[in-house]
Amino acid sequence: MDTSETLLTPRRVTRQIRVGAVAVGGDAPITVQSMTTTKTADVEGTLTQIYDLAAAGADLVRCTCNEAAAAEGLAQIVPRSPVPIIADIHFHVEMALAALDAGVQGLRLNPGNLRKEQEIKLVAQEAKDRGVPIRIGVNAGSLHPGIYERFGGATPEALVESARIELAYFADVGFEDVKISVKASSVPLMVAAYRLASEAFDHPLHLGVTEAGPPPAGLVKGTAGIATLLAEGIGDTIRYSLTADPVEEARAGRQLLEALGLRERKDLDLIACPSCGRAEVDVIAVATAAQAALEGRGLPIQVAVMGCVVNGPGEARHADLGIAAGKKKGHLFIKGKIVRVVPEDQMVEALVAEAERLVAEGIEARLAAADESAEAEAAADRAELLGDRGVDANHSIERIEKIRTRLAE
Ligand code: SF4
């Protein structure tokens, strides 16, 4: 585990529940969720998407259960899914019961949409009998009308009250196997609601900014809300709600947790310098090509693409592997040490080959296999570039001449 975890506020202690084989809450790793966009009745299409989501980082996947055909689809999907399946229920109690019959490992109920006390208790009783947990999924946009009226709107207090009422119904039938979400599309509202919920309940919290929209704005909103709370130690499972291929949601969720040091890295972390006047290569083009070539290979390393050999290897010395441009060459480095120099047009190819070897053989072995002349060649290139003032692209010298001429008049 990355030491950055110790720099965040310690995680709030919650009860632990199990969604199938996946633990949520307590000291379990924070999990990533996403939701399928296929018709649940389309068994093969839905399973293909579930496999894609799992490969992108989803630990749990939710599917809608909105009709009899969807429930029947779930009966075939659940046994073949690589991850536990949660059924999303809105208005129909029969759909919740049918999803339980289908064998789902979790339910999500929206208290704003499934409102009858007896029906809610019936679902809780059936879930309890089968050991299936339920998420109380409160949503600011579909808050129970009575609560909306009582609080004068979808306030943080109103969202938490909705969850509290549902919890009380569950408690009446002795059901406590619960996680809670209080989502909103407004980041400040969502953050305030979750802070309040974390004080009010010790159940695991499922974080999300709902209806965040398409990327990049949707990603920014999701990250703003989820990361703020995670940094405060709040949250046990997360979902990005993007208007995009759900694989993007799963990938973003996993990447956020890895970036915060809350989950082990399982794939590439590509970093690149922002480029500047010193850049000796088109950093955006090289970084994009490197990302495309390296991503999805299951290489759990940090790789840096740097625009110049003058500062690049030093600035990215924390990266496992990197490449820095200069004098039409690529200077390959491991933990800041230059190990090989290649022609500029072979930068990406060399990076991919070294990344594979680094993961297979380890950092020490690859440092030991370094090309002996590489460090000296890079030092010479660096020295030459440092002394090279390059072309006066900003016409500064011309302008200075003008100023001097004017002042001398
Ligand atoms: S590595 Fe070089 S090109 Fe990239 S930002 Fe730093 S100084 Fe500029």
Side-chain angles (χ1 to χ4, degrees):
M1 185 63 68
D2 192 302
T3 49
S4 59
E5 189 186 12
T6 59
L7 303 176
L8 305 175
T9 302
R11 186 158 159 216
R12 186 188 64 117
V13 179
T14 54
R15 316 170 179 206
Q16 191 169 90
I17 63 167
R18 292 195 82 81
V19 184
V22 175
V24 176
D27 59 0
I30 296 172
T31 43
V32 174
Q33 303 202 23
S34 184
M35 190 167 175
T36 50
T37 52
T38 49
K39 295 280 179 208
T40 311
D42 170 10
V43 173
E44 297 308 321
T46 303
L47 271 168
T48 301
Q49 200 170 57
I50 292 169
Y51 269 88
D52 289 346
L53 293 173
D59 303 293
L60 299 165
V61 171
R62 185 158 43 114
C63 303
T64 189
C65 185
N66 56 342
E67 55 181 356
E72 288 178 19
L74 284 172
Q76 298 175 71
I77 291 165
V78 170
R80 291 169 60 194
S81 170
V83 292
I85 297 295
I86 298 165
D88 197 48
I89 310 296
H90 281 266
F91 298 95
H92 306 294
V93 67
E94 320 81 61
M95 287 301 115
L97 302 175
L100 288 172
D101 286 338
V104 295
Q105 288 94 348
L107 286 181
R108 179 267 172 134
L109 300 186
N110 180 337
N113 291 341
L114 190 71
R115 298 181 198 154
K116 291 187 184 141
E117 183 178 336
Q118 285 319 312
E119 290 184 352
I120 295 166
K121 287 182 176 175
L122 175 62
V123 176
Q125 183 65 56
E126 290 258 351
K128 183 183 167 195
D129 293 346
R130 296 163 200 252
V132 172
I134 297 179
R135 168 159 66 98
I136 300 176
V138 180
N139 190 322
S142 53
L143 191 61
H144 191 292
I147 297 174
Y148 189 95
E149 209 172 305
R150 216 171 100 209
F151 285 83
T155 62
E157 292 76 13
L159 299 183
V160 170
E161 180 62 10
S162 177
R164 201 194 310 271
I165 291 170
E166 190 95 340
L167 261 184
Y169 291 155
F170 287 179
D172 283 348
V173 295
F175 181 69
E176 293 191 326
D177 210 3
V178 172
K179 54 189 159 76
I180 295 171
S181 63
V182 282
K183 297 187 186 181
S185 55
S186 151
V187 174
L189 171 58
M190 166 267 188
V191 168
Y194 276 103
R195 282 178 181 152
L196 213 56
S198 79
E199 285 168 18
F201 314 118
D202 64 355
H203 302 80
L205 295 181
H206 163 124
L207 305 183
V209 175
T210 192
E211 297 130 20
L219 279 170
V220 172
K221 281 189 257 177
T223 305
I226 297 169
T228 299
L229 290 161
L230 289 176
E232 293 177 12
I234 297 171
D236 302 281
T237 181
I238 68 170
R239 184 209 170 184
Y240 275 82
S241 295
L242 299 176
T243 312
D245 184 333
V247 165
E248 293 293 312
E249 298 185 352
R251 191 175 291 141
R254 181 74 200 194
Q255 285 176 347
L256 177 65
L257 295 181
E258 287 180 3
L260 288 170
L262 295 171
R263 289 291 291 266
E264 300 277 345
R265 187 173 305 294
K266 75 168 194 172
D267 204 353
L268 175 75
D269 178 24
L270 188 108
I271 61 169
C273 80
S275 184
C276 74
R278 273 202 184 281
E280 288 276 307
V281 75
D282 181 344
V283 180
I284 297 172
V286 176
T288 306
Q291 175 109 25
L294 287 164
E295 210 170 40
R297 289 173 176 250
L299 300 170
I301 52 173
Q302 189 177 59
V303 176
V305 173
M306 306 302 280
C308 75
V309 71
V310 177
N311 293 332
E315 285 177 8
R317 75 171 72 84
H318 55 280
D320 299 305
L321 172 66
I323 198 147
K327 307 300 289 176
K328 298 281 169 224
K329 301 173 203 166
H331 304 76
L332 206 60
F333 59 91
I334 295 175
K335 292 287 180 192
K337 184 182 182 319
I338 309 288
V339 293
R340 203 152 293 105
V341 181
V342 299
E344 186 182 286
D345 61 0
Q346 291 172 23
M347 283 174 78
V348 175
E349 211 180 309
L351 205 52
V352 173
E354 189 55 53
E356 299 271 11
R357 282 192 211 120
L358 193 70
V359 171
E361 299 170 27
I363 285 177
E364 291 310 319
R366 293 312 299 162
L367 280 173
D371 184 340
E372 279 176 15
S373 61
E375 195 69 81
E377 188 174 347
D381 290 341
R382 195 179 292 130
E384 215 176 306
L385 286 166
L386 262 177
D388 187 357
R389 297 187 62 186
V391 291
D392 184 19
N394 296 320
H395 306 286
S396 306
I397 294 168
E398 223 175 277
R399 287 169 199 273
I400 290 167
E401 282 306 320
K402 254 192 194 164
I403 293 167
R404 286 183 184 161
T405 312
R406 180 184 292 280
L407 293 181
E409 281 170 2

